[in-house]
Amino acid sequence: MGDRARRRRLGPLAGLVVAAVVAAGCMGGGLDQGESQQPAPQDSGPAQASPGARTTRADGTTSVAEFKQDFQDAVGLAEKYWTAQFRASGEQFRPIRRVVPYSRAGEVSCGGQGLPRNNAVYCSAGDFIAYDVNWSVSAFREIGDAFLFYLLGHEYAHGVQVRLGIRYDFTIQQELQADCMAGAYLGDSVRSGALTLADGDLDEFRDGLLAVGDDPDQPWFAEGSHGTAEQRSEKFFSGYENSLKACDLG
Ligand SMILES: [Zn+2]
C-alpha cells in the first residue's frame, strides 16, 4: 500500500461508507442468540489458514474475486491468531463457522431478520460473518486494503466475545472491546511476522477509525453506540500496541 494519493482521497464520502459498516452495519452480538440459523448457501468455502506471512497488497483495481480472497486471508489470519490465544490458556478455539458474501437485501438472514445491503455483521444466531460484497469492495477501493483487516478483525472479535461469554450491558462496551481485540489481532500478527504492513497502513487504520466514530452528540449509553472516534482509536491502538492485556478480557 503506501499510496498517499489514495489515502488523501479519504473524504466525507469514505467516512460515511465506513461509518455505515461499523455503526449501522455491525450488529455485533446484538442479534438474538440461541436460534440455529443457517446462512443461505454461498460460494465462500471454508476459511483457509493464511499461508505464512503475507503483505497487504497494493491498492489499485480490485476485482470482487480479489477482494473475497483478501477477506478470506484476513479470516485465516484471525483463525490462526485466536486458536493460538485459546491454546495458550489451555482452551480449544472453535473458528467462526462461515464467512458469507452476499449481494442482495434479504439474501442472508440472521435470527430470522434479512440482512440489508451495505452491511457487514457478525451473526451470533448462526455464528457467521456476512458482508455485502459489492459495497465492501467500494469501501475497500476508497479506503484501502489494510482497513479490511480491521473490519474483519472487529467482526471476528464479536464471535470471540460470544465464545468467552462476554456480554456487556451497553453496546459501546462490547464495541470498544471488539476494537481493542481487532487491534491486538493485528499488532500481534505483525509482531509474530504473520502479517506485514506496508508503509501507510497504520495511517490507514487511523484515518479509517477517525471516520467511524459516533456523532459526538450521541449519548454513550444509546443502543448501537460504538464510541467516539477518539475512544475507538484509543482502544484499537492500545490493543495494537499492548496486545490483549489492554482489552479487559478478564
Ligand atoms: Zn461491532
Side-chain angles (χ1 to χ4, degrees):
M1 209 157 351
D3 177 347
R4 289 178 185 282
R6 161 171 290 274
R7 286 205 315 282
R8 268 201 296 273
R9 285 214 314 270
L10 182 76
L13 175 64
L16 204 66
V17 170
V18 186
V21 174
V22 185
C26 172
M27 299 186 205
L31 288 164
D32 46 8
Q33 299 181 40
E35 221 177 308
S36 178
Q37 175 95 17
Q38 287 292 330
Q42 277 289 320
D43 58 349
S44 69
Q48 290 174 0
S50 184
R54 75 179 297 291
T55 304
T56 57
R57 272 174 223 149
D59 296 323
T61 311
T62 307
S63 69
V64 168
E66 280 173 326
F67 178 85
K68 284 182 179 172
Q69 186 54 53
D70 276 9
F71 206 87
Q72 218 44 65
D73 285 352
V75 172
L77 192 69
E79 282 180 3
K80 232 164 67 173
Y81 177 69
W82 288 109
T83 299
Q85 300 309 313
F86 274 56
R87 194 182 294 136
S89 325
E91 304 280 336
Q92 203 181 350
F93 181 68
R94 191 169 39 82
I96 288 179
R97 277 167 54 199
R98 302 195 59 180
V99 175
V100 187
Y102 65 92
S103 49
R104 292 190 309 279
E107 185 182 336
V108 177
S109 51
C110 172
Q113 286 175 45
L115 298 179
R117 291 192 55 208
N118 305 340
N119 211 342
V121 303
Y122 166 71
C123 174
S124 56
D127 191 37
F128 64 89
I129 290 169
Y131 64 97
D132 175 341
V133 64
N134 297 313
W135 165 79
S136 302
V137 167
S138 312
F140 177 90
R141 285 182 184 142
E142 187 76 27
I143 298 156
D145 54 359
F147 199 64
L148 168 156
F149 281 82
Y150 159 74
L151 175 63
L152 181 275
H154 177 99
E155 300 303 341
Y156 210 95
H158 284 313
V160 175
Q161 288 172 326
V162 167
R163 282 155 175 72
L164 293 172
I166 294 172
R167 190 138 192 157
Y168 287 110
D169 291 341
F170 298 101
T171 58
I172 191 171
Q173 298 168 295
Q174 204 89 18
E175 297 300 336
L176 288 175
Q177 186 181 54
D179 283 338
C180 182
M181 293 162 78
Y185 142 70
L186 287 167
D188 286 344
S189 296
V190 168
R191 282 183 283 275
S192 75
L195 179 71
T196 308
L197 294 184
D199 283 352
D201 283 359
L202 280 179
D203 291 338
E204 198 176 290
F205 292 132
R206 228 178 293 276
D207 289 346
L209 283 157
L210 286 177
V212 296
D214 289 338
D215 184 323
D217 296 333
Q218 176 166 338
W220 65 268
F221 48 83
E223 176 68 25
S225 280
H226 281 63
T228 62
E230 290 71 25
Q231 288 173 313
R232 301 200 70 171
S233 303
E234 193 204 309
K235 282 292 177 187
F236 174 84
F237 283 104
S238 105
Y240 189 92
E241 280 151 27
N242 306 307
S243 187
L244 291 173
K245 63 179 182 292
C247 305
D248 303 319
L249 291 176

